[in-house]
Amino acid sequence: QDCNPELMVMSARAISNLCEACPAAASTFVRKNAHVALIGKLLNIEYIDVAEQAISALELLSRECPADILMAGGLGAVLEFLDFFPHLVQRVALATAANCCVRLNANLLSQVRPSFRNLVSLVSNSDDSVAESACLALHRVLTSSCCQGDYVASLIDLGILEALSEFVRTSDTHHKDAAFGWGLKTLGALTAKNDACRWLLLEQGLEQVVLRRMQDIAEAQGTLSPGNIEGYLHFLLALL
């Protein structure tokens, strides 16, 4: 309900605090439609501090009840006015988006589709955490069993292949190892779903770019993180 903005901030913060202390409380808040009220504050922003607290609360709720947040329009809401928020809040918003893409079925995937364009564009974000979460969300979309045909074609039309390829190519100077690993996994998931993408990447010699990147990481750190090893193997196997 509309009320004093300070009270709204305190209410959203109380939801966050309770969910942090007792994650199971999230389902109670969802049953009471707290998530619907929070999403409404993002779709009709009157007070930026209320919107920021709403994003924080939705991120915690989405950890336990991702499908409910997604079906209520939470994914589109956290991405709608992303540029208005500081980087820290943007990271929380993208973490929420990635949570919303967990365990997608056909009905849930249809709710994600309107946000494909935003997710693809955020792969090239200069903030590593934002880019990593965007890759994670897209990876969860691509690895869902119902993501076939038109869904994959829609992502390709929106430039996901180009975005991920550029992400991997520039990772030596712009992206941290964790973000690089998820970029690779997502690119591997895409090529596993579309042969044309696989052949295009082979023609471009992207596997050589990835190999050099992995060697640079190993030389600099003396070892490779499990995430990067997994991402590299996933990517190479998808090209076979």
Side-chain angles (χ1 to χ4, degrees):
Q1 301 294 325
D2 292 332
C3 58
N4 185 298
E6 292 184 6
L7 184 57
M8 288 190 281
V9 169
M10 292 174 61
S11 298
R13 189 173 295 153
I15 293 174
S16 297
N17 290 339
L18 283 168
C19 287
E20 283 185 323
C22 180
S27 60
T28 301
F29 284 121
V30 167
R31 284 198 300 273
K32 298 296 184 180
N33 286 326
H35 62 305
V36 176
L38 293 167
I39 290 168
K41 295 305 176 185
L42 292 179
L43 294 175
N44 298 283
I45 297 178
E46 297 179 280
Y47 308 101
I48 192 66
D49 50 348
V50 173
E52 290 178 0
Q53 286 299 321
I55 289 175
S56 296
L58 284 170
E59 194 278 324
L60 288 161
L61 292 174
S62 68
R63 296 180 191 181
E64 303 297 321
C65 306
D68 296 283
I69 306 303
L70 178 58
M71 292 300 293
L75 176 57
V78 297
L79 299 177
E80 182 70 21
F81 302 107
L82 194 67
D83 291 340
F84 286 96
F85 298 104
H87 287 306
L88 184 60
V89 179
Q90 290 184 23
R91 294 171 186 174
V92 178
L94 263 293
T96 308
N99 290 343
C100 286
C101 295
V102 171
R103 297 185 297 276
L104 296 172
N105 56 32
N107 188 35
L108 293 174
L109 186 57
S110 68
Q111 299 296 315
V112 179
R113 190 170 191 165
S115 298
F116 278 0
R117 184 181 299 276
N118 283 335
L119 290 173
V120 169
S121 68
L122 289 166
V123 168
S124 59
N125 195 279
S126 59
D127 186 285
D128 279 334
S129 295
V130 169
E132 180 182 346
S133 291
C135 286
L136 175 57
L138 289 168
H139 181 267
R140 288 172 171 169
V141 167
L142 286 164
T143 53
S144 64
S145 60
C146 49
C147 185
Q148 304 288 342
D150 289 345
Y151 287 111
V152 178
S154 294
L155 287 167
I156 293 172
D157 289 343
L158 290 170
I160 187 174
L161 179 64
E162 294 79 5
L164 288 170
S165 297
E166 184 65 18
F167 181 90
V168 171
R169 289 182 187 280
T170 61
S171 63
D172 57 334
T173 55
H174 294 97
H175 301 296
K176 295 179 181 177
D177 292 349
F180 175 68
W182 275 113
L184 275 184
K185 292 176 188 177
T186 308
L187 194 56
L190 175 64
T191 55
K193 290 288 179 78
N194 186 277
D195 284 342
C197 291
R198 179 161 57 91
W199 288 112
L200 184 58
L201 292 179
L202 286 170
E203 290 175 0
Q204 294 176 352
L206 191 64
E207 76 281 0
Q208 296 300 321
V209 175
V210 173
L211 179 58
R212 287 195 297 271
R213 167 63 169 158
M214 300 298 286
Q215 290 173 334
D216 291 342
I217 294 174
E219 290 175 2
Q221 300 181 359
T223 185
L224 292 173
S225 69
N228 276 333
I229 293 174
E230 181 184 355
Y232 183 52
L233 290 176
H234 187 88
F235 174 69
L236 285 183
L237 288 172
L239 291 181
L240 294 177

